[in-house]
Amino acid sequence: MPLIDGVNDADIQKFEIDDSIVSDNQAIGSFNLNTATIKLINPTKRYSSLKDQWIDTLMGKLYVYEAPEAQGDVTIELKCYDLAYKFDLAYEDVIEFPATNGEWLAAICAHVGVELATPEFTNSDLLLGVQPYLSDGASFRDAVKEIAGSSGGFAQIIDNKLHVKWFDGENPTELADWFSLTQEEHVDPVNVVVLGRGDLEDNIVFPTETPENPHELRIDDNQVLFQLEREAIEAIYNQVNGFEYRVFNLRFIGLKNLKAGQKVRYRDIDGELVETFVMTNSLSFCGGDYNNPDAWESTISSVHLNETSTNYKYAGSVMKSIKNTEAKVDKTNQRIEMIVSEQKQLEDQMNESFTKVEQNITSVVTSVQSSGGSNLIRNSAMYFKESGKPTHWEVSETGNVQAFQSADASRQGSLSGQVIRVLGATVSQEIRVKPDNAGLPENMKTYYTFSCRVQKEAVGDGSIVFSDGHQEWKIELGNGEVVGWQEYVLEAILPLSSSLTVTISTSADAEIFDITDMMLAVGNYKTQWTQANGELANMQVQIDSNGMEVHSSTASGVASKVNHRGITVKENDKVVAELTQDGLVAKKAEIATGITMPPLQVRALNDGWAFVPTV
């Protein structure tokens, strides 16, 4: 192939092309629109038609965006962009989400007509639930920058294909001689990665234990990583850890095939062997055989990439909050949906709450959800059951384990209102924790605290025991002890292994051993009960022509219905309580002070009932 397809070699007076992977002194997330300048002899105007055209050259496909004539119309100078220019189209939807990072990039390349050389790259498998935010007027190149940044790398056109990559340290190019050289001090190796939000101390850091002399690489405000920092950061760290370079500028003959991002090795003026990475390569054709690398002069360089300093004390522990309010109207299907949501993230805990109203011609459905909490005990209230057994718990074959709502427990301070009754049985759960490392200073140790409320009658004994395989923390109540929803706390639990097992057991003769609001949280002080991270507590209210029906995930199978006839409570589609104009029907009832049935009243006394006439 000639140097420029359709151009006589003898007409080429100048051919210069730039290759760069840095933008604003930053390589991460860059996708540069590189340029070329080509000067041609043009007395017959044969090359004037090249303006606004793509041309094929030995150095890749180029787009001619300017073609001014010069020297008395004898020459023409072509100003060109490389293939990145194809991505400078206004962004439009090219794929349905959810989609992976790699699938999104492949769809973009297919849309603009550029081959993707790297369908797999760092974090290409990140699953994006929705399309990441792109500002008004964004281009496909802006989208590629976000994708490249989320990979901890850069985008680059090589051989007419798009590459998403990081610096290539394999097989450095040896430079035997050079024309001129300037260089600065060596830049220390990267040993920390920070994903952040600009100037705010809202950061995620890897590794979790900060090195003694941190030298960080920071990625700010990447929209792909907005909700996926924790899934992505370790892969980015593994890619960039140890990256080091020397700032330099060097002129050399024979680097036609060298690409920005590759490593070179040369000896400086003192004879010291230097290895560093090329960030820019400006090539100029000197004449002769353009296939010969020695026909090209190159100026290669690296720049001092932007450095940042993060307050690691706050990294990874700042609450992130995403608020959203939406209203959708579907006039065709006569449907309205309104939602107000808030998602909060604190370290590895995600809490999400929302209210949603859905209305159509036949019904109105209102949903309220609260998700997540700091409790490390999964299903701590034993709400959800499979085959009659609570999920996340190991239950013994003998004895009896029950879980039920209790108004009495709620009156005594239970936040969940859910009671777990263990009679002659054993239940246990293994919990992942951070083990204590010998030698850590006190302020770096991770303590845990457990709390709960217990009700016990005299007969039988019961215990709640935490064990890490080396030591135990216990709450024990012996035969004859009676407690009424007393609160118990185990503070300063410092496990020596990465798992804690909580075991609840009672003797075979136990009559009442009830527990509510079991809570295990990080810290050496008691916190109020919540569910574990990711668990749901939701309520759904549906109103239609038959009345109002209420469901909850924390009372599986139980629903209440209200209409003009009264109130009905169902459990697994069977009526268990009903209040209508005909009266009350229920399996059990709790009356606080008395019952009135004219002409009599039944009143509660300390040692029984009294029947007295109504007034």
Side-chain angles (χ1 to χ4, degrees):
M1 170 182 176
L3 180 55
I4 306 172
D5 192 30
V7 175
N8 292 329
D9 291 343
D11 292 337
I12 301 174
Q13 288 192 330
K14 179 172 69 174
F15 191 116
E16 297 175 348
I17 187 167
D18 293 322
D19 177 26
S20 173
I21 55 164
V22 290
S23 177
D24 295 327
N25 284 10
Q26 187 59 266
I28 298 260
S30 71
F31 183 21
N32 286 348
L33 183 60
N34 292 323
T35 60
T37 301
I38 303 170
K39 190 174 183 180
L40 304 175
I41 299 174
N42 188 39
T44 62
K45 314 293 185 184
R46 64 176 298 184
Y47 301 126
S48 300
S49 62
L50 293 179
K51 185 177 184 300
D52 298 326
Q53 302 294 318
W54 285 96
I55 59 176
D56 291 313
T57 80
L58 189 68
M59 308 306 290
K61 190 178 285 290
L62 298 172
Y63 179 78
V64 182
Y65 66 93
E66 284 186 10
E69 296 178 354
Q71 296 181 2
D73 298 340
V74 175
T75 63
I76 189 170
E77 192 165 81
L78 309 182
K79 301 289 188 179
C80 307
Y81 294 132
D82 73 351
L83 207 58
Y85 185 66
K86 282 203 168 189
F87 292 84
D88 274 348
L89 298 171
Y91 184 83
E92 58 183 279
D93 294 340
V94 292
I95 192 172
E96 291 186 3
F97 290 83
T100 66
N101 222 7
E103 290 169 342
W104 188 27
L105 182 60
I108 290 173
C109 288
H111 181 82
V112 303
V114 176
E115 184 177 348
L116 177 59
T118 54
E120 294 184 1
F121 51 89
T122 301
N123 288 327
S124 62
D125 58 348
L126 281 181
L127 184 62
L128 313 178
V130 297
Q131 179 181 294
Y133 170 77
L134 296 172
S135 61
D136 292 342
S139 67
F140 284 102
R141 190 152 63 93
D142 293 323
V144 174
K145 289 179 181 180
E146 295 295 329
I147 296 171
S150 71
S151 77
F154 48 83
Q156 184 182 24
I157 298 293
I158 302 176
D159 297 332
N160 294 329
K161 300 176 184 178
L162 178 69
H163 296 247
V164 171
K165 54 181 293 191
W166 180 241
F167 289 90
D168 181 7
E170 299 295 325
N171 303 315
T173 299
E174 300 279 352
L175 307 183
D177 201 359
W178 38 262
F179 292 135
S180 64
L181 170 67
T182 59
Q183 62 182 17
E184 299 179 21
E185 292 299 317
H186 174 265
V187 178
D188 291 337
V190 170
N191 56 10
V192 177
V193 169
V194 181
L195 306 183
R197 295 282 180 266
D199 294 333
L200 298 176
E201 287 295 346
D202 185 2
N203 309 304
I204 304 298
V205 172
F206 195 92
T208 53
E209 295 184 7
T210 307
E212 185 174 338
N213 296 305
H215 185 72
E216 71 181 42
L217 184 148
R218 183 183 179 98
I219 304 174
D220 264 328
D221 297 320
N222 182 274
Q223 297 302 314
V224 175
L225 296 176
F226 190 65
Q227 285 302 308
L228 299 169
E229 293 104 327
R230 286 175 173 78
E231 293 87 341
I233 191 169
E234 186 172 0
I236 294 174
Y237 172 81
N238 291 337
Q239 175 175 267
V240 305
N241 183 35
F243 170 69
E244 56 186 317
Y245 62 97
R246 189 160 190 169
V247 178
F248 79 107
N249 184 287
L250 180 150
R251 284 179 60 214
F252 193 85
I253 290 288
L255 299 180
K256 177 177 79 73
N257 298 317
L258 185 69
K259 301 298 180 184
Q262 294 181 320
K263 183 180 257 189
V264 294
R265 179 186 292 140
Y266 63 87
R267 290 194 180 274
D268 64 15
I269 195 170
D270 297 321
E272 179 185 352
L273 188 63
V274 175
E275 287 190 348
T276 188
F277 289 96
V278 176
M279 299 180 190
T280 66
N281 185 7
S282 296
L283 279 168
S284 179
F285 179 52
C286 302
D289 181 6
Y290 44 75
N291 290 303
N292 182 356
D294 290 338
W296 297 81
E297 180 181 314
S298 178
T299 300
I300 59 175
S301 68
S302 67
V303 300
H304 204 297
L305 299 178
N306 288 336
E307 293 189 2
T308 56
S309 180
T310 296
N311 188 337
Y312 299 106
K313 176 182 178 181
Y314 300 108
S317 62
V318 175
M319 180 76 76
K320 300 181 181 180
S321 180
I322 303 171
K323 298 181 180 180
N324 184 43
T325 303
E326 295 182 25
K328 301 176 183 178
V329 179
D330 184 348
K331 293 185 178 180
T332 302
N333 298 308
Q334 292 186 287
R335 182 174 180 272
I336 299 174
E337 178 182 300
M338 293 178 286
I339 185 168
V340 179
S341 65
E342 182 177 29
Q343 187 180 81
K344 293 182 178 180
Q345 183 171 343
L346 178 61
E347 295 186 341
D348 59 351
Q349 300 165 15
M350 181 72 73
N351 301 335
E352 182 174 12
S353 302
F354 71 76
T355 59
K356 182 167 66 174
V357 179
E358 299 173 84
Q359 180 178 356
N360 57 33
I361 195 65
T362 60
S363 68
V364 178
V365 178
T366 301
S367 303
V368 181
Q369 172 180 297
S370 176
S371 171
S374 57
N375 202 341
L376 298 178
I377 301 176
R378 306 292 294 177
N379 193 12
S380 59
M382 295 192 183
Y383 282 130
F384 311 107
K385 295 189 176 183
E386 294 176 356
S387 303
K389 293 185 179 180
T391 58
H392 301 291
W393 291 91
E394 295 291 331
V395 182
S396 63
E397 297 296 330
T398 58
N400 185 20
V401 179
Q402 305 169 14
F404 52 89
Q405 286 284 310
S406 169
D408 180 52
S410 296
R411 284 195 301 270
Q412 298 298 323
S414 171
L415 296 176
S416 66
Q418 181 90 340
V419 168
I420 303 154
R421 178 166 291 173
V422 181
L423 301 176
T426 298
V427 294
S428 63
Q429 182 180 144
E430 184 178 356
I431 304 160
R432 304 303 295 176
V433 292
K434 183 178 180 180
D436 178 47
N437 294 312
L440 282 178
E442 184 64 27
N443 63 353
M444 296 184 67
K445 295 180 182 292
T446 302
Y447 288 94
Y448 299 85
T449 295
F450 171 77
S451 61
C452 68
R453 291 182 180 272
V454 177
Q455 173 180 256
K456 179 186 177 295
E457 291 192 352
V459 178
D461 55 57
S463 64
I464 304 171
V465 179
F466 282 82
S467 172
D468 64 359
H470 305 279
Q471 51 192 334
E472 292 184 342
W473 298 263
K474 300 179 180 181
I475 298 170
E476 294 180 309
L477 297 174
N479 187 41
E481 288 189 70
V482 178
V483 294
W485 296 124
Q486 182 173 327
E487 185 174 62
Y488 290 89
V489 179
L490 295 173
E491 293 180 328
I493 297 174
L494 188 63
L496 299 178
S497 64
S498 60
S499 68
L500 271 177
T501 299
V502 54
T503 302
I504 306 167
S505 59
T506 62
S507 59
D509 59 344
E511 294 181 352
I512 295 293
F513 190 84
D514 295 343
I515 307 168
T516 187
D517 288 2
M518 288 190 292
M519 179 74 182
L520 178 69
V522 175
N524 54 9
Y525 53 88
K526 181 185 78 68
T527 57
Q528 72 174 17
W529 178 86
T530 64
Q531 294 187 92
N533 181 31
E535 293 183 341
L536 298 179
N538 61 47
M539 187 71 68
Q540 186 181 82
V541 180
Q542 178 172 338
I543 302 174
D544 56 25
S545 58
N546 296 315
M548 179 176 68
E549 191 162 319
V550 182
H551 297 267
S552 171
S553 67
T554 59
S556 180
V558 177
S560 298
K561 190 163 188 176
V562 181
N563 55 30
H564 68 281
R565 292 184 296 271
I567 302 173
T568 302
V569 179
K570 292 184 178 181
E571 184 173 8
N572 299 324
D573 293 327
K574 294 182 179 179
V575 176
V576 294
E578 191 171 35
L579 177 61
T580 68
Q581 67 270 28
D582 296 326
L584 171 66
V585 178
K587 291 191 298 184
K588 62 180 181 179
E590 182 175 332
I591 309 299
T593 58
I595 302 172
T596 299
M597 295 178 293
L600 293 177
Q601 286 183 341
V602 180
R603 293 185 177 179
L605 300 177
N606 290 334
D607 55 355
W609 287 357
F611 292 83
V612 298
T614 56
V615 177

